[in-house]
Amino acid sequence: MTEPTPTDDPDYAPDYAVEISNLVKTYRGEEGQEPTQALKGINLRIPRGSIFGLLGPNGAGKSTLINVLASLVIKTSGTASIWGYEVSQSPRMARSSIGVVPQELTLDSFFSARELLDLQAGLYGVPQNERRTEELLDIVGLSEKADVSGRSLSGGMKRRLMIAKALAHSPPVLVLDEPTAGVDVELRRSLWNYVKKLNAAGTTILLTTHYLEEAQELCDRIAIINHGSLIANDTKENLLLRIDNKRLTLTLDRSFQELPENMRAQGWERLDPQRLTIAYRPSQMAASALLRLVQMNGFTIKDISTDETTIEDVFLQLTGTSEKEPPRDNGKPPQDDIEQL
């Protein structure tokens, strides 16, 4: 039986690559424990063509949400659509529209890299003449290792091969679940360069990472999930505006002993004989006004440094660090929650 499709147009491209509405997932209790609600009515839309960050502490619900999208976990209620295909109503088309790179290295070590990519493409029904095996091996820098068995590859090579595997059927949506965990700086940089190229070519990227500076550098929009609830979902720029404080530090061209009273009154402090600093709220005071006051008092500024708000600051403010996190959401659902593929 043919599954329903969003449109008969082969060039169909929805405004939102992923749409989630009132998504709930409740795991049954084990050994007399109460059921755990891992997702509590999530509403989320990921714009087509974006690099979208999904952040949250351990146990927040990120892995459960991704597993629902990947059809590895059966949702309790609500809807989740990928490229216009609802995961429970059109499972085959939904799965064909997404590629997932999980945290764990899940490769069959008895296949070579080339064999693994050919097998993956075949499982998704990609005709032999349309497979991108050699192209993908070249893209991830594994052409010279094409015929080497998976068990002979280094951890970094396996990570790259998993990305190629997720792309074997050319999905419009790619999920990267902690893709750079445990890899060195050089490989991390090359992986992100490739992710940017993929995105520029039209692939929508959903990224989860504990390296928050990566999310800040790469993502257009960021959502934060905590205890199964979505607590933030906005552009990166708007999220950074949530914390209204900065610190300005100046190095002067000469030593000084005392600050003028008008500078102390405004909040300037002496760090050492040649440096002074101030904490201020950008919404209430412009940095230019602070600098003018320094110059009006006869000081010449030699160097300026600022402590900017980061996504990590926003993350810590919204999630806190002392709250007890739920025990589930390790990405390994109980057997009865795994959908038969």
Side-chain angles (χ1 to χ4, degrees), residues 108-185:
D108 192 324
S109 59
F110 294 98
F111 287 101
S112 69
R114 178 180 282 116
E115 290 169 338
L116 187 65
L117 295 188
D118 269 335
L119 174 62
Q120 184 74 3
L123 289 174
Y124 279 91
V126 180
Q128 188 74 39
N129 63 344
E130 295 180 14
R131 295 179 187 176
R132 304 165 55 213
T133 299
E134 302 305 322
E135 174 191 349
L136 289 172
L137 287 170
D138 180 62
I139 286 172
V140 297
L142 291 177
S143 294
E144 295 183 1
K145 302 289 184 179
D147 297 311
V148 174
S149 65
R151 62 178 176 271
S152 300
L153 298 177
S154 68
M157 291 177 181
K158 289 178 181 177
R159 183 72 62 184
R160 281 183 277 166
L161 182 55
M162 288 183 63
I163 293 178
K165 178 184 174 185
L167 294 168
H169 59 293
S170 302
V173 180
L174 179 65
V175 176
L176 301 173
D177 191 7
E178 302 288 348
T180 59
V183 305
D184 60 43
V185 174

Side-chain angles (χ1 to χ4, degrees), residues 316-338:
L316 292 175
Q317 183 188 71
L318 292 175
T319 63
T321 56
S322 60
E323 295 181 3
K324 183 179 179 182
E325 294 175 357
R328 288 292 294 276
D329 194 37
N330 56 7
K332 298 178 181 178
Q335 191 64 34
D336 71 318
D337 284 314
I338 301 179

Side-chain angles (χ1 to χ4, degrees), residues 16-317:
Y16 296 98
V18 174
E19 291 190 82
I20 296 171
S21 178
N22 297 317
L23 182 62
V24 173
K25 175 59 191 176
T26 302
Y27 290 112
R28 69 177 184 180
E30 295 181 356
E31 300 179 358
Q33 294 182 352
E34 292 295 319
T36 300
Q37 195 171 31
L39 299 176
K40 304 173 182 177
I42 299 293
N43 292 289
L44 181 66
R45 296 196 297 183
I46 299 177
R48 170 174 50 88
S50 65
I51 301 182
F52 192 98
L54 180 63
L55 309 180
N58 291 330
K62 302 187 303 296
S63 293
T64 293
L65 191 151
I66 288 172
N67 284 336
V68 169
L69 293 177
S71 298
L72 295 175
V73 165
I74 304 172
K75 57 187 169 62
T76 303
S77 62
T79 61
S81 299
I82 305 163
W83 214 246
Y85 302 100
E86 213 284 326
V87 295
S88 57
Q89 296 178 10
S90 303
R92 182 184 297 274
M93 296 305 297
R95 290 171 186 154
S96 296
S97 299
I98 191 172
V100 180
V101 182
Q103 296 180 38
E104 298 83 6
L105 293 172
T106 54
L107 294 173
D108 192 324
S109 59
F110 294 98
F111 287 101
S112 69
R114 178 180 282 116
E115 290 169 338
L116 187 65
L117 295 188
D118 269 335
L119 174 62
Q120 184 74 3
L123 289 174
Y124 279 91
V126 180
Q128 188 74 39
N129 63 344
E130 295 180 14
R131 295 179 187 176
R132 304 165 55 213
T133 299
E134 302 305 322
E135 174 191 349
L136 289 172
L137 287 170
D138 180 62
I139 286 172
V140 297
L142 291 177
S143 294
E144 295 183 1
K145 302 289 184 179
D147 297 311
V148 174
S149 65
R151 62 178 176 271
S152 300
L153 298 177
S154 68
M157 291 177 181
K158 289 178 181 177
R159 183 72 62 184
R160 281 183 277 166
L161 182 55
M162 288 183 63
I163 293 178
K165 178 184 174 185
L167 294 168
H169 59 293
S170 302
V173 180
L174 179 65
V175 176
L176 301 173
D177 191 7
E178 302 288 348
T180 59
V183 305
D184 60 43
V185 174
E186 182 178 357
L187 176 56
R188 183 177 300 153
R189 195 170 297 161
S190 68
L191 285 176
W192 289 138
N193 286 337
Y194 179 52
V195 166
K196 291 177 182 177
K197 290 180 182 178
L198 275 176
N199 180 248
T203 303
T204 302
I205 310 292
L206 172 57
L207 165 70
T208 76
T209 179
H210 284 295
Y211 299 109
L212 300 185
E213 70 277 7
E214 290 184 340
Q216 182 165 339
E217 179 183 348
L218 291 168
C219 298
D220 311 308
R221 295 185 65 92
I222 293 175
I224 300 176
I225 187 172
N226 196 29
H227 298 326
S229 298
L230 204 66
I231 60 175
N233 178 18
D234 212 331
T235 63
K236 176 173 58 181
E237 291 74 19
N238 285 344
L239 284 176
L240 291 172
L241 290 174
R242 290 194 177 202
I243 296 185
D244 186 29
N245 59 64
K246 288 186 178 182
R247 179 166 291 276
L248 187 64
T249 301
L250 306 181
T251 300
L252 307 178
D253 68 337
R254 58 182 172 84
S255 299
F256 66 98
Q257 295 301 319
E258 294 291 335
L259 278 176
E261 177 59 32
N262 62 344
M263 291 181 62
R264 289 201 305 270
Q266 195 168 54
W268 282 103
E269 300 175 1
R270 180 178 180 270
L271 285 178
D272 58 44
Q274 271 192 275
R275 290 191 305 151
L276 61 155
T277 186
I278 188 172
Y280 70 102
R281 296 182 180 277
S283 64
Q284 300 176 5
M285 177 66 70
S288 59
L290 296 172
L291 296 176
R292 278 198 302 270
L293 180 61
V294 172
Q295 293 170 327
M296 284 170 53
N297 280 277
F299 294 107
T300 300
I301 300 169
K302 184 178 179 181
D303 188 36
I304 301 175
S305 65
T306 59
D307 291 333
E308 300 284 347
T309 299
T310 66
I311 288 298
E312 182 174 1
D313 297 325
V314 178
F315 179 86
L316 292 175
Q317 183 188 71

